[in-house]
Short mmCIF file of all heavy atoms in Angstrom, two decimals:
data_model
loop_
_atom_site.label_atom_id
_atom_site.label_comp_id
_atom_site.label_asym_id
_atom_site.label_seq_id
_atom_site.Cartn_x
_atom_site.Cartn_y
_atom_site.Cartn_z
N VAL A 16 180.22 -14.39 148.67
CA VAL A 16 180.40 -14.68 150.08
C VAL A 16 181.22 -15.95 150.25
O VAL A 16 181.06 -16.91 149.49
CB VAL A 16 179.04 -14.81 150.81
CG1 VAL A 16 178.20 -15.92 150.22
CG2 VAL A 16 179.23 -15.04 152.30
N LEU A 17 182.11 -15.94 151.22
CA LEU A 17 182.88 -17.12 151.59
C LEU A 17 182.16 -17.77 152.78
O LEU A 17 181.88 -17.10 153.77
CB LEU A 17 184.31 -16.76 151.96
CG LEU A 17 185.21 -17.92 152.43
CD1 LEU A 17 185.46 -18.88 151.28
CD2 LEU A 17 186.52 -17.39 153.01
N ILE A 18 181.86 -19.06 152.65
CA ILE A 18 181.21 -19.77 153.76
C ILE A 18 182.14 -20.86 154.26
O ILE A 18 182.91 -21.46 153.50
CB ILE A 18 179.85 -20.36 153.34
CG1 ILE A 18 180.00 -21.36 152.19
CG2 ILE A 18 178.89 -19.25 152.95
CD1 ILE A 18 178.70 -22.08 151.82
N ARG A 19 182.06 -21.13 155.58
CA ARG A 19 182.95 -22.11 156.21
C ARG A 19 182.14 -23.05 157.09
O ARG A 19 181.15 -22.66 157.70
CB ARG A 19 184.01 -21.42 157.07
CG ARG A 19 184.95 -20.48 156.32
CD ARG A 19 185.85 -19.74 157.31
NE ARG A 19 186.75 -18.79 156.68
CZ ARG A 19 188.00 -19.07 156.32
NH1 ARG A 19 188.49 -20.29 156.54
NH2 ARG A 19 188.77 -18.15 155.77
N LYS A 20 182.63 -24.29 157.16
CA LYS A 20 182.08 -25.27 158.09
C LYS A 20 183.22 -26.22 158.45
O LYS A 20 183.68 -26.99 157.61
CB LYS A 20 180.90 -26.04 157.48
CG LYS A 20 180.29 -27.05 158.44
CD LYS A 20 178.99 -27.63 157.89
CE LYS A 20 179.22 -28.47 156.67
NZ LYS A 20 177.98 -29.15 156.23
N ASP A 21 183.66 -26.15 159.71
CA ASP A 21 184.82 -26.92 160.16
C ASP A 21 186.03 -26.57 159.28
O ASP A 21 186.41 -25.42 159.19
CB ASP A 21 184.50 -28.42 160.14
CG ASP A 21 183.34 -28.77 161.07
OD1 ASP A 21 183.19 -28.08 162.09
OD2 ASP A 21 182.59 -29.71 160.77
N GLN A 22 186.58 -27.57 158.59
CA GLN A 22 187.75 -27.33 157.75
C GLN A 22 187.38 -27.07 156.29
O GLN A 22 188.26 -26.89 155.45
CB GLN A 22 188.70 -28.55 157.82
CG GLN A 22 189.17 -28.88 159.22
CD GLN A 22 189.89 -27.72 159.88
OE1 GLN A 22 190.73 -27.06 159.26
NE2 GLN A 22 189.59 -27.45 161.15
N SER A 23 186.09 -27.07 156.00
CA SER A 23 185.65 -26.89 154.62
C SER A 23 185.31 -25.42 154.35
O SER A 23 184.93 -24.68 155.26
CB SER A 23 184.41 -27.74 154.33
OG SER A 23 184.69 -29.10 154.57
N ALA A 24 185.45 -25.03 153.09
CA ALA A 24 185.12 -23.65 152.68
C ALA A 24 184.61 -23.68 151.25
O ALA A 24 184.99 -24.54 150.44
CB ALA A 24 186.33 -22.74 152.81
N GLN A 25 183.74 -22.73 150.94
CA GLN A 25 183.18 -22.60 149.60
C GLN A 25 182.97 -21.12 149.30
O GLN A 25 182.73 -20.32 150.21
CB GLN A 25 181.84 -23.33 149.47
CG GLN A 25 181.91 -24.83 149.63
CD GLN A 25 180.54 -25.47 149.53
OE1 GLN A 25 179.52 -24.84 149.69
NE2 GLN A 25 180.53 -26.77 149.24
N ILE A 26 183.05 -20.78 148.01
CA ILE A 26 182.67 -19.44 147.56
C ILE A 26 181.28 -19.55 146.94
O ILE A 26 181.02 -20.43 146.11
CB ILE A 26 183.66 -18.88 146.53
CG1 ILE A 26 185.05 -18.73 147.13
CG2 ILE A 26 183.17 -17.52 146.03
CD1 ILE A 26 186.09 -18.25 146.14
N VAL A 27 180.40 -18.66 147.36
CA VAL A 27 179.03 -18.65 146.84
C VAL A 27 178.78 -17.32 146.13
O VAL A 27 179.03 -16.25 146.71
CB VAL A 27 178.00 -18.84 147.96
CG1 VAL A 27 176.58 -18.82 147.39
CG2 VAL A 27 178.24 -20.15 148.71
N TYR A 28 178.32 -17.40 144.91
CA TYR A 28 177.87 -16.22 144.17
C TYR A 28 176.35 -16.36 144.00
O TYR A 28 175.86 -17.42 143.62
CB TYR A 28 178.52 -16.14 142.78
CG TYR A 28 180.02 -16.16 142.78
CD1 TYR A 28 180.72 -17.36 142.62
CD2 TYR A 28 180.76 -14.99 142.92
CE1 TYR A 28 182.11 -17.40 142.61
CE2 TYR A 28 182.15 -15.01 142.92
CZ TYR A 28 182.82 -16.22 142.76
OH TYR A 28 184.19 -16.24 142.76
N TYR A 29 175.63 -15.31 144.27
CA TYR A 29 174.17 -15.39 144.04
C TYR A 29 173.61 -14.01 143.77
O TYR A 29 174.16 -12.99 144.19
CB TYR A 29 173.46 -16.05 145.23
CG TYR A 29 173.36 -15.22 146.48
CD1 TYR A 29 172.26 -14.40 146.72
CD2 TYR A 29 174.36 -15.26 147.45
CE1 TYR A 29 172.16 -13.64 147.88
CE2 TYR A 29 174.28 -14.52 148.61
CZ TYR A 29 173.17 -13.71 148.82
OH TYR A 29 173.08 -12.95 149.97
N TRP A 30 172.50 -13.99 143.05
CA TRP A 30 171.80 -12.75 142.76
C TRP A 30 170.35 -13.09 142.40
O TRP A 30 169.99 -14.26 142.23
CB TRP A 30 172.48 -11.96 141.64
CG TRP A 30 172.43 -12.57 140.28
CD1 TRP A 30 171.57 -12.30 139.27
CD2 TRP A 30 173.33 -13.58 139.77
NE1 TRP A 30 171.85 -13.06 138.16
CE2 TRP A 30 172.93 -13.86 138.43
CE3 TRP A 30 174.43 -14.27 140.29
CZ2 TRP A 30 173.59 -14.78 137.64
CZ3 TRP A 30 175.07 -15.20 139.50
CH2 TRP A 30 174.67 -15.44 138.19
N PHE A 31 169.54 -12.07 142.29
CA PHE A 31 168.11 -12.25 142.00
C PHE A 31 167.79 -11.67 140.63
O PHE A 31 168.11 -10.51 140.35
CB PHE A 31 167.24 -11.55 143.05
CG PHE A 31 167.54 -12.00 144.45
CD1 PHE A 31 168.39 -11.25 145.26
CD2 PHE A 31 166.99 -13.16 144.97
CE1 PHE A 31 168.68 -11.65 146.55
CE2 PHE A 31 167.27 -13.57 146.26
CZ PHE A 31 168.12 -12.82 147.06
N GLU A 32 167.20 -12.48 139.78
CA GLU A 32 166.72 -12.04 138.47
C GLU A 32 165.24 -11.70 138.63
O GLU A 32 164.40 -12.60 138.82
CB GLU A 32 166.92 -13.11 137.41
CG GLU A 32 168.37 -13.38 137.05
CD GLU A 32 168.97 -12.26 136.20
OE1 GLU A 32 168.19 -11.43 135.68
OE2 GLU A 32 170.21 -12.23 136.06
N GLN A 33 164.90 -10.43 138.57
CA GLN A 33 163.54 -9.98 138.87
C GLN A 33 162.99 -9.16 137.71
O GLN A 33 163.19 -7.95 137.62
CB GLN A 33 163.53 -9.16 140.15
CG GLN A 33 163.97 -9.93 141.38
CD GLN A 33 162.92 -10.91 141.86
OE1 GLN A 33 161.79 -10.55 142.17
NE2 GLN A 33 163.30 -12.17 141.92
N ARG A 34 162.37 -9.85 136.74
CA ARG A 34 161.68 -9.19 135.64
C ARG A 34 162.57 -8.16 134.94
O ARG A 34 162.19 -7.00 134.77
CB ARG A 34 160.38 -8.53 136.14
CG ARG A 34 159.42 -9.55 136.76
CD ARG A 34 158.42 -8.94 137.68
NE ARG A 34 159.02 -8.22 138.79
CZ ARG A 34 159.55 -8.80 139.87
NH1 ARG A 34 159.56 -10.11 139.99
NH2 ARG A 34 160.08 -8.06 140.84
N GLY A 35 163.77 -8.62 134.57
CA GLY A 35 164.71 -7.78 133.85
C GLY A 35 165.61 -6.95 134.75
O GLY A 35 166.42 -6.16 134.24
N ARG A 36 165.51 -7.12 136.06
CA ARG A 36 166.36 -6.37 137.00
C ARG A 36 167.43 -7.29 137.59
O ARG A 36 167.16 -8.43 137.92
CB ARG A 36 165.53 -5.76 138.14
CG ARG A 36 164.60 -4.65 137.70
CD ARG A 36 163.95 -4.01 138.92
NE ARG A 36 163.06 -2.92 138.55
CZ ARG A 36 161.78 -3.06 138.24
NH1 ARG A 36 161.24 -4.27 138.27
NH2 ARG A 36 161.04 -2.02 137.91
N ASN A 37 168.62 -6.75 137.75
CA ASN A 37 169.74 -7.43 138.41
C ASN A 37 169.80 -6.90 139.85
O ASN A 37 170.23 -5.79 140.10
CB ASN A 37 171.02 -7.13 137.64
CG ASN A 37 172.27 -7.64 138.33
OD1 ASN A 37 173.35 -7.12 138.14
ND2 ASN A 37 172.16 -8.68 139.14
N ILE A 38 169.38 -7.73 140.81
CA ILE A 38 169.24 -7.29 142.20
C ILE A 38 170.08 -8.18 143.10
O ILE A 38 170.08 -9.40 142.96
CB ILE A 38 167.76 -7.32 142.65
CG1 ILE A 38 166.92 -6.40 141.76
CG2 ILE A 38 167.62 -6.93 144.11
CD1 ILE A 38 165.44 -6.43 142.06
N THR A 39 170.77 -7.56 144.05
CA THR A 39 171.58 -8.32 145.02
C THR A 39 171.03 -8.21 146.43
O THR A 39 171.45 -8.98 147.31
CB THR A 39 173.04 -7.81 145.01
OG1 THR A 39 173.06 -6.39 145.29
CG2 THR A 39 173.70 -8.06 143.67
N ASN A 40 170.14 -7.28 146.68
CA ASN A 40 169.60 -7.08 148.03
C ASN A 40 168.22 -7.73 148.16
O ASN A 40 167.33 -7.48 147.34
CB ASN A 40 169.51 -5.58 148.34
CG ASN A 40 169.02 -5.31 149.75
OD1 ASN A 40 167.83 -5.31 150.01
ND2 ASN A 40 169.95 -5.06 150.66
N GLU A 41 168.05 -8.57 149.20
CA GLU A 41 166.80 -9.31 149.37
C GLU A 41 165.60 -8.38 149.55
O GLU A 41 164.52 -8.63 149.00
CB GLU A 41 166.90 -10.23 150.60
CG GLU A 41 167.84 -11.41 150.41
CD GLU A 41 169.28 -11.08 150.75
OE1 GLU A 41 169.59 -9.87 150.90
OE2 GLU A 41 170.10 -12.01 150.84
N TYR A 42 165.79 -7.30 150.32
CA TYR A 42 164.66 -6.41 150.60
C TYR A 42 164.31 -5.54 149.40
O TYR A 42 163.15 -5.19 149.18
CB TYR A 42 164.98 -5.56 151.83
CG TYR A 42 165.19 -6.40 153.06
CD1 TYR A 42 166.46 -6.64 153.56
CD2 TYR A 42 164.10 -6.99 153.70
CE1 TYR A 42 166.65 -7.45 154.67
CE2 TYR A 42 164.29 -7.80 154.82
CZ TYR A 42 165.56 -8.02 155.30
OH TYR A 42 165.74 -8.82 156.39
N GLU A 43 165.32 -5.21 148.60
CA GLU A 43 165.05 -4.50 147.35
C GLU A 43 164.24 -5.40 146.41
O GLU A 43 163.32 -4.94 145.72
CB GLU A 43 166.36 -4.08 146.69
CG GLU A 43 166.17 -3.27 145.41
CD GLU A 43 167.48 -2.93 144.73
OE1 GLU A 43 168.55 -3.30 145.26
OE2 GLU A 43 167.44 -2.31 143.65
N ALA A 44 164.58 -6.69 146.40
CA ALA A 44 163.84 -7.64 145.58
C ALA A 44 162.38 -7.72 146.02
O ALA A 44 161.46 -7.77 145.19
CB ALA A 44 164.49 -9.02 145.65
N LYS A 45 162.15 -7.69 147.35
CA LYS A 45 160.78 -7.72 147.86
C LYS A 45 160.00 -6.48 147.43
O LYS A 45 158.82 -6.56 147.08
CB LYS A 45 160.80 -7.80 149.39
CG LYS A 45 161.32 -9.11 149.94
CD LYS A 45 160.37 -10.24 149.63
CE LYS A 45 160.88 -11.56 150.16
NZ LYS A 45 160.01 -12.69 149.78
N TRP A 46 160.67 -5.34 147.48
CA TRP A 46 160.00 -4.11 147.08
C TRP A 46 159.58 -4.17 145.62
O TRP A 46 158.45 -3.81 145.28
CB TRP A 46 160.91 -2.90 147.31
CG TRP A 46 160.49 -1.70 146.51
CD1 TRP A 46 161.11 -1.15 145.43
CD2 TRP A 46 159.32 -0.89 146.72
NE1 TRP A 46 160.42 -0.07 144.95
CE2 TRP A 46 159.31 0.11 145.72
CE3 TRP A 46 158.28 -0.94 147.65
CZ2 TRP A 46 158.30 1.05 145.63
CZ3 TRP A 46 157.27 0.01 147.55
CH2 TRP A 46 157.29 1.00 146.56
N TYR A 47 160.46 -4.65 144.74
CA TYR A 47 160.12 -4.68 143.32
C TYR A 47 159.07 -5.75 143.00
O TYR A 47 158.35 -5.63 142.00
CB TYR A 47 161.38 -4.89 142.47
CG TYR A 47 162.13 -3.60 142.26
CD1 TYR A 47 163.42 -3.42 142.77
CD2 TYR A 47 161.54 -2.55 141.55
CE1 TYR A 47 164.09 -2.22 142.58
CE2 TYR A 47 162.22 -1.36 141.35
CZ TYR A 47 163.48 -1.19 141.87
OH TYR A 47 164.14 0.00 141.69
N VAL A 48 158.97 -6.80 143.82
CA VAL A 48 157.86 -7.74 143.66
C VAL A 48 156.55 -6.99 143.85
O VAL A 48 155.59 -7.14 143.08
CB VAL A 48 157.97 -8.90 144.67
CG1 VAL A 48 156.67 -9.70 144.71
CG2 VAL A 48 159.12 -9.83 144.28
N PHE A 49 156.51 -6.16 144.90
CA PHE A 49 155.31 -5.37 145.18
C PHE A 49 155.05 -4.36 144.05
O PHE A 49 153.93 -4.25 143.54
CB PHE A 49 155.48 -4.65 146.51
CG PHE A 49 154.32 -3.80 146.92
CD1 PHE A 49 153.24 -4.33 147.60
CD2 PHE A 49 154.29 -2.44 146.61
CE1 PHE A 49 152.16 -3.55 147.96
CE2 PHE A 49 153.22 -1.65 146.97
CZ PHE A 49 152.16 -2.21 147.65
N TRP A 50 156.09 -3.64 143.66
CA TRP A 50 155.93 -2.56 142.67
C TRP A 50 155.55 -3.11 141.29
O TRP A 50 154.64 -2.59 140.63
CB TRP A 50 157.22 -1.75 142.59
CG TRP A 50 157.15 -0.62 141.62
CD1 TRP A 50 157.71 -0.56 140.37
CD2 TRP A 50 156.45 0.61 141.78
NE1 TRP A 50 157.42 0.63 139.76
CE2 TRP A 50 156.64 1.38 140.60
CE3 TRP A 50 155.69 1.15 142.81
CZ2 TRP A 50 156.10 2.64 140.44
CZ3 TRP A 50 155.14 2.41 142.65
CH2 TRP A 50 155.35 3.14 141.48
N ASP A 51 156.23 -4.17 140.87
CA ASP A 51 155.95 -4.72 139.54
C ASP A 51 154.58 -5.40 139.50
O ASP A 51 153.93 -5.43 138.45
CB ASP A 51 157.04 -5.71 139.13
CG ASP A 51 158.36 -5.00 138.84
OD1 ASP A 51 158.34 -3.77 138.66
OD2 ASP A 51 159.40 -5.68 138.81
N SER A 52 154.18 -5.96 140.61
CA SER A 52 152.83 -6.52 140.67
C SER A 52 151.79 -5.43 140.50
O SER A 52 150.78 -5.61 139.82
CB SER A 52 152.61 -7.25 141.99
OG SER A 52 151.30 -7.71 142.10
N LEU A 53 152.07 -4.28 141.09
CA LEU A 53 151.15 -3.15 141.01
C LEU A 53 151.12 -2.54 139.61
O LEU A 53 150.06 -2.28 139.05
CB LEU A 53 151.57 -2.09 142.04
CG LEU A 53 150.64 -0.91 142.27
CD1 LEU A 53 149.32 -1.36 142.84
CD2 LEU A 53 151.30 0.10 143.20
N MET A 54 152.32 -2.35 139.03
CA MET A 54 152.42 -1.63 137.77
C MET A 54 152.29 -2.54 136.55
O MET A 54 151.69 -2.17 135.54
CB MET A 54 153.76 -0.88 137.70
CG MET A 54 153.97 0.09 138.87
SD MET A 54 152.64 1.32 139.03
CE MET A 54 152.85 2.24 137.51
N ASP A 55 152.89 -3.75 136.62
CA ASP A 55 152.93 -4.62 135.45
C ASP A 55 152.13 -5.92 135.63
O ASP A 55 152.07 -6.73 134.71
CB ASP A 55 154.39 -4.99 135.12
CG ASP A 55 155.22 -3.76 134.81
OD1 ASP A 55 154.68 -2.79 134.27
OD2 ASP A 55 156.44 -3.78 135.12
N ASN A 56 151.58 -6.13 136.83
CA ASN A 56 150.82 -7.34 137.12
C ASN A 56 151.68 -8.59 136.96
O ASN A 56 151.21 -9.63 136.49
CB ASN A 56 149.57 -7.43 136.24
CG ASN A 56 148.50 -8.30 136.87
OD1 ASN A 56 148.49 -8.52 138.08
ND2 ASN A 56 147.59 -8.80 136.05
N ARG A 57 152.96 -8.48 137.37
CA ARG A 57 153.90 -9.61 137.30
C ARG A 57 154.67 -9.73 138.61
O ARG A 57 155.07 -8.72 139.20
CB ARG A 57 154.92 -9.42 136.17
CG ARG A 57 154.36 -9.54 134.77
CD ARG A 57 155.46 -9.29 133.76
NE ARG A 57 156.61 -10.19 133.92
CZ ARG A 57 157.77 -10.02 133.30
NH1 ARG A 57 157.96 -8.99 132.49
NH2 ARG A 57 158.77 -10.88 133.49
N THR A 58 154.88 -10.98 139.06
CA THR A 58 155.72 -11.21 140.23
C THR A 58 156.71 -12.35 139.99
O THR A 58 157.30 -12.87 140.92
CB THR A 58 154.87 -11.56 141.48
OG1 THR A 58 154.17 -12.80 141.25
CG2 THR A 58 153.88 -10.47 141.81
#
């Protein structure tokens, strides 16, 4: 994502590392927190 403030700009890269999963969607990450807690007892 490119973010701007006045005349400044930055490129931001981010992702979620979730128990061996590469996730970019916040809500998908929430779902796997629930699922892995249920199945593997890990969050």
Side-chain angles (χ1 to χ4, degrees):
V16 60
L17 178 67
I18 59 175
R19 299 174 182 266
K20 181 171 67 174
D21 299 329
Q22 302 301 316
S23 302
Q25 295 179 340
I26 298 177
V27 180
Y28 304 94
Y29 72 91
W30 68 98
F31 305 97
E32 291 287 346
Q33 298 286 302
R34 301 159 301 283
R36 292 186 179 88
N37 173 206
I38 300 176
T39 56
N40 183 277
E41 290 86 348
Y42 299 104
E43 183 183 359
K45 292 292 180 184
W46 161 251
Y47 278 116
V48 167
F49 180 86
W50 181 255
D51 290 344
S52 176
L53 188 64
M54 303 304 295
D55 300 328
N56 203 22
R57 289 178 57 191
T58 63

